[in-house]
Amino acid sequence: MCSGTIHTGLLVVSYATYLLLGTIGFWALEKNAEKEQKMAVIQMKEAFLQNFTHLTVAEVEQFVKNLTDAVQRGIYPVGNESQTEVSNWDLSNSFFFVGAVVSTIGYGTLCPKTSAGQIFCVFFASFGIPFNIVFLHRVSKMLSLLCERLGRWLYEKGMKKVNLPPQACKNSIGMEWKDCTNQGSGEYTAHLALSSKKIKFLTLLFFLVMGILVFLCLPSFVFQVVEGWSYSEGVYFAFITLSTIGFGDYVVGKQPDRNYPSYYRTLVAIWIIFGLAWIALLFNLLTTLLEDTEKKIAQDLHKMRKAGKDNEENQKRYQPAGFVSAEEPSLLGSGGDAQKTVSLATHLGDAKQGETIFSL
């Protein structure tokens, strides 16, 4: 137990250190380059405003193209030069980008532009993604242990001691009789407990409800307040993010007309990391449930086909080989017909006897 705790602690510290190193690396490699790009976009905007009445169609189209490229790089030329002080590669935003890389979400709204930053991203992701998988596996295992403890707690709380007649000391629907002991007076003492299936259902239900509340409902309310989205948009963003689909149509902290706390995107990155562990375990449980359901359906279909074949064989086995119809003439008729039948049988007997003689 102690060694497992130490191993988990070392893994958490190593994982946090790796993310911090990646954050510092991207911050150092991309911050100055982004500032130069922002200054160039601001100058392009000022030149357009000064000479837009004299620009040709080709120059306007080139301006629109440059403006589109700037927006795709995460640079929004809105406001004055003070906007250049708000960097997409400060420590908070860099940590958010690092979390998006190792989790393979990949929104596509922020990416390194320098050659050094791109090469660093390749090496960082090559080791960071497997590291993230190991970390999420550990977190999922811890969540599974919590579910097991909850199941044992429900089992213990559901136990109660009862006196039963001998014939009642057996399993019942939804409950189980445990530790049936004979008291010597014709009665048995047993513990009435919740069945294992019911405990498993209650545990999974609690895990599902709490996970939805912590990782979907509450964060969606925060996004509604901070980002100005509707609540449904917040739920949509939360699920698309935690499922690593990452369309990039909604990204936190990217609206130029809003002031965000410096720690906002860092907290969102931490929410993403632990939310990924929860939703990965949830998807695993749902996959197991669907596989068990598919196996049960296949077994039921197999039993139905086998029962149908057995039924057909029983019908063939017990069906009479033939029967005499009332409309057909009977070989054992009365009168002359009976005499003809007897004489025919005698004739056939004589013929068989003759064949036997000649064969000798």
Side-chain angles (χ1 to χ4, degrees):
M1 181 69 179
C2 183
S3 61
T5 304
I6 294 175
H7 183 267
T8 302
L10 291 176
L11 179 62
V12 171
V13 172
S14 301
Y15 182 73
T17 303
Y18 189 81
L19 294 183
L20 183 60
L21 292 176
T23 300
I24 296 174
F26 285 111
W27 169 74
L29 293 172
E30 295 293 330
K31 184 176 182 180
N32 293 331
E34 184 208 20
K35 188 173 182 179
E36 294 177 358
Q37 291 174 354
K38 281 190 173 184
M39 290 297 298
V41 171
I42 293 295
Q43 293 174 1
M44 179 190 67
K45 174 187 172 183
E46 291 178 351
F48 174 80
L49 294 176
Q50 292 175 1
N51 303 312
F52 71 94
T53 56
H54 305 290
L55 296 178
T56 63
V57 175
E59 291 173 338
V60 173
E61 290 181 352
Q62 184 63 37
F63 171 79
V64 173
K65 181 179 180 302
N66 294 337
L67 188 63
T68 303
D69 293 339
V71 173
Q72 290 177 350
R73 294 195 302 266
I75 301 174
Y76 299 93
V78 179
N80 50 29
E81 294 184 2
S82 63
Q83 292 293 328
T84 60
E85 301 299 327
V86 181
S87 175
N88 290 323
W89 291 104
D90 58 9
L91 291 178
S92 178
N93 289 327
S94 297
F95 185 80
F96 180 82
F97 174 77
V98 164
V101 169
V102 298
S103 62
T104 69
I105 296 176
Y107 291 112
T109 56
L110 182 64
C111 53
K113 294 300 179 181
T114 63
S115 299
Q118 292 172 350
I119 297 300
F120 179 76
C121 184
V122 171
F123 284 99
F124 178 80
S126 299
F127 294 95
I129 293 174
F131 203 173
N132 185 67
I133 293 174
V134 173
F135 178 77
L136 293 182
H137 177 72
R138 174 64 63 173
V139 175
S140 299
K141 190 174 181 180
M142 294 174 61
L143 292 176
S144 299
L145 292 176
L146 290 177
C147 290
E148 292 179 3
R149 291 181 180 179
L150 176 62
R152 288 196 296 267
W153 182 81
L154 290 174
Y155 178 80
E156 293 174 356
K157 291 297 181 180
M159 296 275 290
K160 62 180 181 179
K161 191 174 181 179
V162 293
N163 294 325
L164 302 171
Q167 64 273 14
C169 196
K170 59 182 180 179
N171 293 340
S172 61
I173 299 175
M175 308 295 287
E176 291 182 356
W177 306 115
K178 298 293 183 182
D179 303 329
C180 290
T181 55
N182 192 348
Q183 299 297 317
S185 59
E187 288 188 350
Y188 285 73
T189 300
H191 289 91
L192 181 62
L194 295 173
S195 65
S196 57
K197 290 183 178 180
K198 197 168 185 179
I199 290 176
K200 187 175 181 180
F201 172 77
L202 292 175
T203 303
L204 292 179
L205 182 62
F206 176 82
F207 172 77
L208 179 62
V209 172
M210 290 302 297
I212 291 176
L213 179 64
V214 173
F215 294 107
L216 291 179
C217 296
L218 293 181
S220 300
F221 176 75
V222 174
F223 298 145
Q224 182 182 15
V225 174
V226 178
E227 300 289 343
W229 300 337
S230 65
Y231 189 78
S232 61
E233 289 174 331
V235 173
Y236 167 78
F237 166 77
F239 179 80
I240 293 300
T241 295
L242 297 184
S243 60
T244 69
I245 296 175
F247 288 127
D249 49 350
Y250 289 87
V251 182
V252 295
K254 298 298 292 183
Q255 300 186 54
D257 57 340
R258 286 184 173 268
N259 294 323
Y260 299 99
S262 59
Y263 54 85
Y264 173 60
R265 300 195 92 190
T266 301
L267 293 179
V268 173
I270 296 174
W271 162 74
I272 289 175
I273 292 172
F274 286 95
L276 286 174
W278 169 76
I279 206 166
L281 184 57
L282 176 62
F283 285 164
N284 186 32
L285 293 174
L286 292 177
T287 301
T288 303
L289 179 62
L290 292 176
E291 289 178 350
D292 293 342
T293 304
E294 187 271 336
K295 289 180 182 179
K296 188 173 184 344
I297 293 175
Q299 291 175 357
D300 293 341
L301 291 176
H302 179 71
K303 290 179 181 179
M304 292 174 62
R305 288 195 296 267
K306 186 176 180 181
K309 291 181 180 179
D310 293 342
N311 190 20
E312 292 178 359
E313 291 178 359
N314 291 333
Q315 290 179 355
K316 291 179 180 179
R317 184 180 303 172
Y318 294 105
Q319 184 177 0
F323 60 92
V324 179
S325 175
E327 298 179 357
E328 295 180 357
S330 176
L331 292 177
L332 299 178
S334 58
D337 292 337
Q339 294 176 358
K340 291 179 181 180
T341 302
V342 173
S343 61
L344 178 60
T346 304
H347 177 70
L348 291 175
D350 294 339
K352 290 182 179 180
Q353 184 177 2
E355 292 176 359
T356 304
I357 294 173
F358 285 116
S359 63
L360 295 175

